Amino acid sequence: MNRPLHNDPAKLAEIFHETYERLAPMFNYQTRPASAVPWAAVPEHNKKLMIAVCNSVQHLLDEEAVRAR
């Protein structure tokens, strides 16, 4: 089942990672070589952490949207 990006923490984590790595040099920042890899090469435990963070942030945003209504 295809989920909208805002409801897909795994896709959001992937996009965040790839965008972060792409933009880092523009901010004079260089990530550690072990971290500066494509999403497919990110260690599974790191992926799970990033996905969990995106999921948690989405829940917070969802709660905030409900409170704002």
Side-chain angles (χ1 to χ4, degrees):
M1 175 201 309
N2 288 335
R3 295 167 52 176
L5 175 58
H6 63 276
N7 287 330
D8 189 347
K11 188 63 179 172
L12 184 58
E14 177 181 357
I15 291 170
F16 181 91
H17 171 76
E18 296 292 347
T19 304
Y20 184 93
E21 293 301 330
R22 180 174 50 80
L23 295 178
M26 294 178 207
F27 291 85
N28 296 317
Y29 184 76
Q30 183 176 359
T31 56
R32 295 179 310 115
S35 299
V37 297
W39 181 253
V42 171
E44 199 59 35
H45 63 278
N46 290 47
K47 283 182 181 180
K48 287 179 181 179
L49 170 58
M50 286 188 267
I51 292 167
V53 168
C54 288
N55 194 42
S56 181
V57 168
Q58 186 58 59
H59 283 298
L60 292 171
L61 293 172
D62 290 346
E63 289 172 3
E64 184 65 26
V66 168
R67 282 194 296 275
R69 289 186 197 150

